[in-house]
Amino acid sequence: MNADFFDLQKQNHSFASLSLFGVTRFNVAANGGADALGGARVTGEFFDTMGIAPELGRAVAPPDDKPGQESVAVISHRVWRDRFSSRTDILGKTLLLDAKPYRVIGVMPAGFGFPHATDVMDAAKVTDIWIPWAMSPEQKANRGDSAGNAIGRLRQGFP
């Protein structure tokens, strides 16, 4: 499926933006506490496809989802408020996601939490963390694995 998506992304004429996302759960350690939170791995076009920008900082972008890039994360408004007391110096702080360090690059606006449990099967009830989905060339070329879900935004004026 991954290869089919990337072929469609290159050849499409109907969509302004296409993205892949996969739901997951993270064990999160930050600011003296630990929780299991819902999350998503997303390709770099995800937030543009959703048509939403972070309240603070920046979103995951195409350069972030290349293998070997710095591990970065975008957090929900709820996590920012509850775990970091809405501190504006959150950008650049480190979260441990499944014991691996990620640098916080953005905070989403209150109310944004896609995907939800009602959006895809087996999703967390709330998504609080988004990280880049850095796929290897082999993963991108795989046509047999259905690892994620595709979402698109139609071009302006397209029926």
Side-chain angles (χ1 to χ4, degrees), residues 64-136:
D64 297 319
D65 71 11
K66 308 287 184 264
Q69 297 302 306
E70 177 185 20
S71 297
V72 296
V74 175
I75 61 174
S76 70
H77 187 276
R78 184 175 73 86
V79 167
W80 180 49
R81 180 194 67 220
D82 295 351
R83 294 296 299 269
F84 297 100
S85 303
S86 302
R87 292 179 48 181
T88 55
D89 65 348
I90 183 63
L91 301 179
K93 300 289 185 203
T94 299
L95 295 174
L96 291 178
L97 304 180
D98 297 334
K100 182 178 177 191
Y102 284 77
R103 184 174 60 87
V104 176
I105 59 169
V107 176
M108 294 310 293
F112 181 78
F114 184 84
H116 299 288
T118 56
D119 298 321
V120 287
M121 299 295 290
D122 299 325
K125 290 185 180 181
V126 177
T127 300
D128 281 310
I129 298 171
W130 299 264
I131 65 169
W133 198 346
M135 289 185 222
S136 69

Side-chain angles (χ1 to χ4, degrees), residues 30-47:
N31 218 22
D35 290 305
L37 297 175
R41 288 175 174 27
V42 299
T43 55
E45 302 83 4
F46 178 78
F47 291 100

Side-chain angles (χ1 to χ4, degrees), residues 8-29:
L8 175 64
Q9 192 178 43
K10 285 180 208 164
Q11 300 167 11
N12 108 80
H13 301 287
S14 306
F15 293 95
S17 182
L18 288 166
S19 181
L20 273 181
F21 66 93
V23 295
T24 189
R25 289 192 70 73
F26 294 111
N27 292 313
V28 181

